Amino acid sequence: MVPTGPYGTWPSPIDAALVAAHDGCPEYLDTVGEEVWWTEPRPREQGRRALVRRRTDGFEETVLPPPWNVRSRLVEYGGRPWAATGQEGDAGPLVLFVNFADQRLYAYQPKAPGERRGPRPLTPLSSTGAGLRWAEPLPRLELGEVWCVLEEFTGSAPTDVRRVLAAVPLDGSAAEDRNRVRELTDDRHRFLTGPRLSPDGRRAAWLAWDHPRMPWEGTELKVAEVEGGHLKHVRTLIGGPGEAVAQAEWTSQSVLLAITDRSGWWNPYRVDPDTGEAVNLCPREEEFAGPLWNPGLRWLMPLDSGLVAVLHGRGAPVLGVLDPETGDLVDAAGPWTAWRPSLAVHGSRVASVAASPRSAFEVVELDTCTGHTRVLGAASTDPVDAAHYPEPQSRTFFGPEDREIHAHVYPPHHPARSAPADELPPYVIWAHGGPTDHVAPVLDLHIAYFTSRGIGVAEVNYGGSTGYGRAYRERLREQWGIVDVEDCAAVARALAAEGTADPGRLAIRGGSAGGWTAAASLAGTGIYACGTIRYPVLDLSRFQSETHDLESHYLASLIGSAEDYPARYRDRSPAGHAEQIIAPFLLLQGLEDVICPPSQADRFLARLAGRELPHAYLAFEGEGHGFRRTETIVRALEAELSLYAQVFGFARDDVPLLELRK
């Protein structure tokens, strides 16, 4: 017989150290000749991202040793941080990359005799504020340059910044002289993606947008003539307020493709570069793109055959191959249920990053000629018996006014343990970040850490999430702190009402925008016994002046104008209603977070002074927005489990006791 034990007490081989070791996933794939390259996280190496190449013989090797960290800080969330030429030669490919520590652009040829001492800088060290940042490098060897996005800070405030397309000399002459960087565009637009050059060399295309719009609210597709290494006759083809163009790419025949949501759904279009006439290549009520948080994301990539690799679907995207002439769309075979926007193509092959309920995100390749798929590289191999992994249930719940709410429910699961028949399990409601984002039903060891111990998890794609069309994500317009809170509460109540969850042992948890939802839920509802709040937004009145440039006007759409609706900023802020929180909570914060800075947490905690409310605050040096280091991930996860053990009433002697202060 299977041993019986109360929920929450089950032993599990999935410990916090194992979760930390396999945290994160590969991203920013590309092909270099016949090889596939990507960046991947290294939690044990101070959280750096390493550049990895998969050679044609099947072996993987790290291109750059520690401490090189291939990661851009463009718009703080980063953009595509590297590129490489496919010309091997005796010196190997030319690698161009951004190093996180100093944000300089570097060049490196591993086999070049003159570069045995390591990469050489192409751009100068910063002298003002946060200085210079770079992303989306595009080698222009014929010009002796690399074209990219330049972000330049002009003062000490986070919003004292300009962005342009720029050309950096490959000879290193700009490493000591900013004036050697040639600007290709003016700075009339606040935000830009990197240029896409047509194969015939005649035109370049890129995206641009301005405050107060976020890139999923309205962007413009720009095109220019390329003449003598300059961009001439810049014009807008499609896009603007109310239309969000998410990506643009050229086919091998210099036909311009773009993904835009003018129909209410992100669909692929063929766009005439002269007239701007756009033809929908696959009209469907599905999303072929998502939120452009990072310049350089790829949901669509043309193949030499004329076919187009696309990611599409409702909720989680899957990989398909589109015939742009007929609109026929064939999905790739395999167990993967979600694909990330990191498409790379070479010949008939397509590579990207995919995951399933039984496999974490890994690099997968599709041969479009044979239909065969294979795993090229994985962020992790199976660290434990997959029998310990939960099986997600994708469900639709109903909230106020019978609005649909999408969620993924992960019941407690253990192959060798069960709970007493008369006991209902505790559940934690997870609110994702963004808030303009979504979660997919795939293996996440953070979730398995809890479910394998007997704690259920429900991830909620509340109103405002992506993946379900513009109307669904605009449910959150001026309703942040209301719709997200109501939707999470509706899922929690439904799980309790149907007998899935113990109504007295419900918790809520979230990070970033999800941290806001968790805190607002604790302050505004009475259904949660406790909560975990990770690097959150807590004080709306100060957030706009404290956060980074990209999100400095985000609240205009999420809450409304502060000038027109000052009461909303006061009434919805958890920091302004901390006295209404009566449930214990854990607050986790990175001290180097410039997106949701520690000052937000400080003011929130100050409002709790003198109250006998059990809570804990853990602040981590060296961590920014999201935790990357092994020791931080372990401490945070074990502290969260200890919180639940104390509040839900079960014993755990395998994690340190979290001190809940009053």
Side-chain angles (χ1 to χ4, degrees), residues 477-540:
R477 180 170 291 277
E478 299 190 6
Q479 297 297 306
W480 196 36
I482 298 176
V483 166
D484 50 322
V485 171
E486 290 177 345
D487 286 2
C488 287
V491 172
R493 290 191 179 101
L495 292 174
E498 69 187 24
T500 297
D502 184 341
R505 295 194 293 175
L506 296 170
I508 189 162
R509 182 239 217 210
S512 189
W516 152 275
T517 302
S521 296
L522 292 178
T525 72
I527 65 174
Y528 302 108
C530 62
T532 300
I533 307 167
R534 299 160 57 92
Y535 39 90
V537 178
L538 294 167
D539 181 2
L540 295 178

Side-chain angles (χ1 to χ4, degrees), residues 40-274:
E40 69 180 31
R42 298 284 173 85
R44 292 177 179 172
E45 298 175 10
Q46 297 299 301
R48 79 178 183 112
R49 291 202 70 92
L51 182 60
V52 176
R53 66 187 293 187
R54 186 184 189 276
R55 302 186 335 219
T56 54
D57 59 11
F59 286 95
E60 293 179 17
E61 65 180 42
T62 302
V63 178
L64 294 156
W68 296 106
N69 186 354
V70 184
R71 181 179 160 212
S72 170
R73 285 186 62 186
L74 187 85
V75 299
E76 291 300 347
Y77 289 114
R80 181 169 290 271
W82 74 276
T85 66
Q87 302 174 5
E88 278 279 346
D90 294 334
L94 173 64
V95 183
L96 304 164
F97 71 95
V98 178
N99 183 50
F100 182 76
D102 57 13
Q103 286 299 293
R104 298 175 87 180
L105 185 65
Y106 286 82
Y108 181 51
Q109 283 185 284
K111 300 178 184 178
E115 297 190 2
R116 289 174 181 165
R117 287 175 291 182
R120 53 188 177 87
L122 299 180
T123 56
L125 282 169
S126 302
S127 58
T128 58
L132 308 174
R133 298 176 183 176
W134 316 83
E136 291 210 75
L138 173 67
R140 299 298 311 276
L141 300 184
E142 73 280 10
L143 299 175
E145 297 176 331
V146 52
W147 288 10
C148 51
V149 181
L150 163 61
E151 179 178 81
E152 183 171 24
F153 286 80
T154 58
S156 58
T159 53
D160 293 337
V161 62
R162 60 190 295 269
R163 297 176 185 89
V164 296
L165 300 183
V168 177
L170 287 171
D171 62 9
S173 59
E176 303 296 335
D177 185 0
R178 162 66 177 84
N179 293 326
R180 296 284 296 178
V181 175
R182 191 165 60 88
E183 297 190 4
L184 300 169
T185 63
D186 57 32
D187 60 0
R188 72 181 63 186
H189 291 293
R190 192 69 168 197
F191 303 98
L192 303 165
T193 65
R196 302 292 186 270
L197 198 64
S198 63
D200 62 13
R202 294 177 51 211
R203 293 185 172 107
W206 65 94
L207 306 182
W209 70 98
D210 296 285
H211 287 316
R213 287 175 283 160
M214 297 298 284
W216 45 85
E217 295 173 333
T219 59
E220 298 175 7
L221 173 56
K222 301 287 185 178
V223 71
E225 311 302 317
V226 180
E227 299 177 4
H230 297 270
L231 299 180
K232 303 282 190 177
H233 313 299
V234 179
R235 56 198 182 277
T236 300
L237 291 182
I238 60 173
E243 180 180 0
V245 186
Q247 185 189 353
E249 299 289 342
W250 300 92
T251 72
S252 60
Q253 302 301 311
S254 294
V255 174
L256 182 59
L257 304 180
I259 307 174
T260 181
D261 71 344
R262 57 173 50 185
S263 69
W265 298 83
W266 272 307
N267 280 187
Y269 288 74
R270 180 172 55 246
V271 182
D272 188 310
D274 294 312

Side-chain angles (χ1 to χ4, degrees), residues 352-395:
S352 192
V353 179
S356 76
R358 287 289 179 268
S359 60
F361 281 104
E362 56 196 355
V363 180
V364 179
E365 181 186 76
L366 165 69
D367 187 325
T368 59
C369 290
T370 65
H372 176 68
T373 53
R374 60 172 179 159
V375 176
L376 294 185
S380 64
T381 55
D382 281 336
V384 297
D385 186 345
H388 290 87
Y389 298 158
E391 188 66 41
Q393 303 168 359
S394 295
R395 299 181 54 184

Side-chain angles (χ1 to χ4, degrees), residues 9-50:
T9 67
W10 301 345
S12 173
I14 305 173
D15 61 17
L18 186 142
V19 175
H22 300 281
D23 187 63
C25 68
E27 61 184 15
Y28 296 120
L29 269 67
D30 214 339
T31 56
V32 183
E34 294 286 333
E35 300 179 349
V36 178
W37 294 33
W38 62 85
T39 69
E40 69 180 31
R42 298 284 173 85
R44 292 177 179 172
E45 298 175 10
Q46 297 299 301
R48 79 178 183 112
R49 291 202 70 92

